[in-house]
Amino acid sequence: MICVPLILTSACSKSSFDAKGYTEGLMVLMTKQDTTPIVKAGLPQSEADALKNEFFGLVEEVILSEFESFDISNNTKEKWILLMSELLAKSKYSVNEAREKSGEDGYLVDVTINPIMYSKIVEDEAFLSELENLTLKAYQKGEINDDTLFDYMIGLMADKTLGKLDQLEYDQPSTITIEYVKDKDGMYTIKDEYSIGAEIGSTLFK
């Protein structure tokens, strides 16, 4: 499974920081491409737009790196970018109430995620057999050749997986805690934001 780390960013400085609202806004931005909640939570629209563009640029980079040793077409790349976006939109999670940190100016927010069991689709023997049969038929008809066979099959996998998103199953929930701390400039920042973002991204799918 291609795993994309979520990009977490510092919150703006506010006297009454809404840690839960900000966390919900981050999750909605990354999974639904919607900046409205995080802007309501205090992030300027320009920064929210930049964060969204950065994240979905990262999605594209991860997909390209996954297939960098193969000569795949732009059309196939676009199919996988679309698939990843649709999978992210199907994410199942909840953001719990923020808790104040004991003895510190900061908050703890638990994000509970039910991972999408993506591998249950793409590792299914019947699914893989169908891909192989369709690819073989296209090869025998001369629609593809040795140079384009892999590109065809990978593109077909994305198409077929997109058609099965209504059959997604979810695993048991896992909880990840996001810790907000206040820095010397009065900004609430996410502690270990890169590792937390990577953990959330890898937990969304199985």
Side-chain angles (χ1 to χ4, degrees), residues 140-193:
Q140 291 171 338
K141 291 178 180 179
E143 297 172 356
I144 57 176
N145 55 41
D146 290 340
D147 293 330
T148 58
L149 186 149
F150 181 79
D151 179 76
Y152 178 86
M153 186 169 64
I154 291 300
L156 187 62
M157 176 181 280
D159 288 337
K160 292 294 184 181
T161 304
L162 277 166
K164 292 179 176 291
L165 295 189
D166 60 341
Q167 303 172 27
L168 287 175
E169 296 181 27
Y170 296 84
D171 204 354
Q172 294 300 310
S174 296
T175 298
I176 297 170
T177 301
I178 296 178
E179 182 176 353
Y180 291 93
V181 294
K182 206 168 190 178
D183 66 16
K184 58 183 177 59
D185 297 317
M187 295 284 290
Y188 281 102
T189 62
I190 296 173
K191 186 176 180 181
D192 300 324
E193 61 189 76

Side-chain angles (χ1 to χ4, degrees), residues 43-115:
L43 192 69
Q45 183 68 60
S46 60
E47 293 185 28
D49 290 338
L51 182 62
K52 183 175 80 168
N53 292 336
E54 181 184 0
F55 176 68
F56 285 94
L58 177 61
V59 170
E60 183 172 355
E61 285 179 19
V62 169
I63 289 170
L64 293 180
S65 66
E66 186 75 10
F67 300 121
E68 65 181 350
S69 59
F70 302 98
D71 184 20
I72 65 171
S73 64
N74 287 332
N75 183 51
T76 296
K77 293 171 188 174
E78 290 299 321
K79 288 180 179 182
W80 277 88
I81 291 169
L82 174 61
L83 173 58
M84 181 58 66
S85 298
E86 292 296 324
L87 280 169
L88 285 167
K90 294 282 188 179
S91 298
K92 186 176 180 181
Y93 63 85
S94 62
V95 178
N96 299 324
E97 293 295 333
R99 313 185 304 277
E100 291 189 12
K101 292 184 66 181
S102 177
E104 294 182 59
D105 192 350
Y107 300 91
L108 299 173
V109 181
D110 290 336
V111 179
T112 301
I113 298 170
N114 288 80

